[in-house]
Amino acid sequence: MKNIKAFTMPKWGIEMQEGTISEWVVKEGQSFKKGEIIALIETDKISNEVEAEFDGVLRKIVTPSGQTEPVGALLGVFGDTDVPDDEIETFAQSFEAADTGTAVGRNSDTKAYAPAETASPQAPEPAPPAISDTSFDNLNISPKARELAIELQVDATQISGSGRNGRITYQDVHQASRPEAKVDLGGALPMPVDDESIFASPLAKRLAAMNGIDLKGVAGTGARGRIRKEDVFALLPDASARPQASLAQNTDNKPQIVEMDKIRKVIAKRLTEAKSTIPHFYIRSDFDVENLLEFRRIGNKVLNTKASLNDYLIKAVGRALVEHRDVNVQVHDDKIHYYPHANVGVAIAAKSGLITPVVKNVDLMDISDISRATTQLIKKANSGKLGLADLEGGTLTISNLGMMGVDQFDAIINPPQGSILAIGGISRVMTEMEDGSGEFRSKLSVAMSCDHRAIDGAAGAKFMATLKSMIEEPELFF
């Protein structure tokens, strides 16, 4: 059985525990060449094309499409055509699960992040083909992606590939074939014309309009003859005839029921597990950012960059993390992983849902590098092109809702990270200065959520104190 090889569920990243066969591209008994796509596999983070590492034949499919299996489970069996079927069957029956497979995912270090299911799309109604196989000559595109582009009449030359060396993948074509969502704005709400000649309270006017009462000639009992709501009630036949919210009661208010998409289900599952299994404790403080705002203005001008306030916060957090090794951690069951450098996550509200890509080795980067890195991650998140490598390795995430008008909030830890910072809005607060005078200063609300299994209260407080000093004296972290 030397010409028989197992195809098992690969392990992409330390967090992956299982995967789902989304589609078998190669059918049972079909041969394939090195570099061709064998199957599409989905995890809770990405959907990936699995590319053959050698020429061969898929002799047996063990795991059908749509089925979920743990890492190392047998998915299929490769073998030469001259190997008897009974040997293939014996191999499959006697196989013991391993941790990795013989085929690896395309771009295992820069996989495209697919925000939706990657099931094979349905072909549109037949139409005269405007795009043929020759349309993609000299284009870096996978064979299956080329077939799908021709089938769906998608101009692959306009697609930015997410694969290795910019190669266009099956998912890239699938994503490009989707129509953009259209928003139908209902338009302005019609409002009745207000007769300013009638001296009445707004509520009295509304009650009169609801009940078809003409207020012209009505004598008001309010100050200077103003018509009050009691005056309108007096014109109704009896108390039972007082205005009822008939319009609101008769208006159809049935909910639109939409099942969570895969990304939203994953977010819900992970946050529910995090909140129920991680013992959170919280540290809150207000940082004086008056000096940081001025430092940013001058620094961006000197360095010729457009770094945001969030970029400067990332820089300060990175420096504080390497000074507090007991906070720069990940928690994996009963083991704590201590990191020598700071990998800081950034919460992004992307089109597909909440995504937390990671800026790596922040403590070794200058502010211009951080600005470029965060800008690139945001673009990749919004275009659905984040890879697994972009999402792993973080020890602390920054979630900034201050730009959305939120004053303060508490955030849920993103496992296996040890903590998360919730950044609120900046407010102008009267502050007593050292000489006893008062001055309005810009204050930033910050709340830190810590995993008490790995981070003690004193350790979290010391980290926050260091971060506060760096924010209030920004020269300290440059």
Side-chain angles (χ1 to χ4, degrees), residues 205-228:
K205 290 181 179 180
R206 181 172 179 81
L207 291 173
M210 290 174 61
N211 292 276
I213 297 176
D214 187 359
L215 293 180
K216 291 182 178 179
V218 175
T221 60
R224 300 189 305 278
R226 191 185 196 198
I227 302 173
R228 304 184 300 161

Side-chain angles (χ1 to χ4, degrees), residues 16-46:
M16 180 176 173
Q17 300 296 324
E18 61 184 17
T20 302
I21 292 288
S22 176
E23 179 187 356
W24 282 101
V25 178
V26 176
K27 308 304 179 185
E28 191 170 270
Q30 182 179 344
S31 62
F32 54 85
K33 297 292 185 181
K34 180 179 179 180
E36 291 185 349
I37 301 170
I38 299 173
L40 305 180
I41 295 180
E42 292 184 359
T43 72
D44 61 353
K45 291 185 177 181
I46 61 172

Side-chain angles (χ1 to χ4, degrees), residues 420-439:
I420 185 170
L421 283 179
I423 308 298
I426 296 176
S427 57
R428 297 289 290 174
V429 178
M430 176 60 72
T431 306
E432 182 180 0
M433 308 305 290
E434 293 183 358
D435 60 0
S437 62
E439 180 180 324

Side-chain angles (χ1 to χ4, degrees), residues 310-332:
N310 212 50
D311 295 331
Y312 280 83
L313 293 175
I314 293 171
K315 176 65 175 178
V317 167
R319 290 294 303 274
L321 281 173
V322 296
E323 291 190 17
H324 294 272
R325 181 175 178 269
D326 45 2
V327 176
N328 192 26
V329 299
Q330 285 188 351
V331 183
H332 298 267

Side-chain angles (χ1 to χ4, degrees), residues 278-304:
I278 297 177
H280 287 59
F281 76 89
Y282 307 94
I283 302 173
R284 302 179 181 88
S285 182
D286 290 332
F287 295 176
D288 188 323
V289 293
E290 197 76 26
N291 293 336
L292 181 60
L293 294 174
E294 179 64 13
F295 188 85
R296 170 178 173 259
R297 185 185 68 82
I298 298 175
N300 283 359
K301 186 174 182 180
V302 172
L303 299 174
N304 193 26

Side-chain angles (χ1 to χ4, degrees), residues 104 135 190 200 454:
V104 299
S135 302

Side-chain angles (χ1 to χ4, degrees), residues 91-246:
F91 179 87
Q93 294 294 331
S94 61
F95 179 81
E96 295 183 1
D99 291 332
T100 57
T102 60
V104 299
R106 180 192 306 277
N107 317 317
S108 57
D109 56 344
T110 56
K111 308 176 191 64
Y113 182 89
E117 299 285 347
T118 55
S120 178
Q122 298 296 322
E125 292 296 325
I131 298 175
S132 65
D133 188 58
T134 57
S135 302
F136 306 136
D137 289 346
N138 302 320
L139 189 65
N140 189 10
I141 183 173
S142 71
K144 283 297 177 181
R146 178 191 295 267
E147 292 177 10
L148 183 63
I150 296 172
E151 178 184 358
L152 300 183
Q153 292 294 283
V154 174
D155 186 1
T157 61
Q158 303 300 315
I159 299 175
S160 178
S162 63
R164 183 180 304 149
N165 298 322
R167 192 181 196 193
I168 299 172
T169 66
Y170 185 94
Q171 289 96 331
D172 293 334
V173 177
H174 187 196
Q175 186 71 21
S177 68
R178 294 180 176 179
E180 293 188 6
K182 296 182 179 179
V183 179
D184 183 15
L185 301 178
L189 178 67
M191 297 294 290
V193 178
D194 186 14
D195 188 349
E196 297 182 356
S197 65
I198 298 176
F199 188 38
S201 69
L203 180 56
K205 290 181 179 180
R206 181 172 179 81
L207 291 173
M210 290 174 61
N211 292 276
I213 297 176
D214 187 359
L215 293 180
K216 291 182 178 179
V218 175
T221 60
R224 300 189 305 278
R226 191 185 196 198
I227 302 173
R228 304 184 300 161
K229 66 179 185 297
E230 287 79 6
D231 299 326
V232 179
F233 286 153
L235 298 176
L236 300 177
D238 52 53
S240 62
R242 289 188 177 182
Q244 304 294 323
S246 57

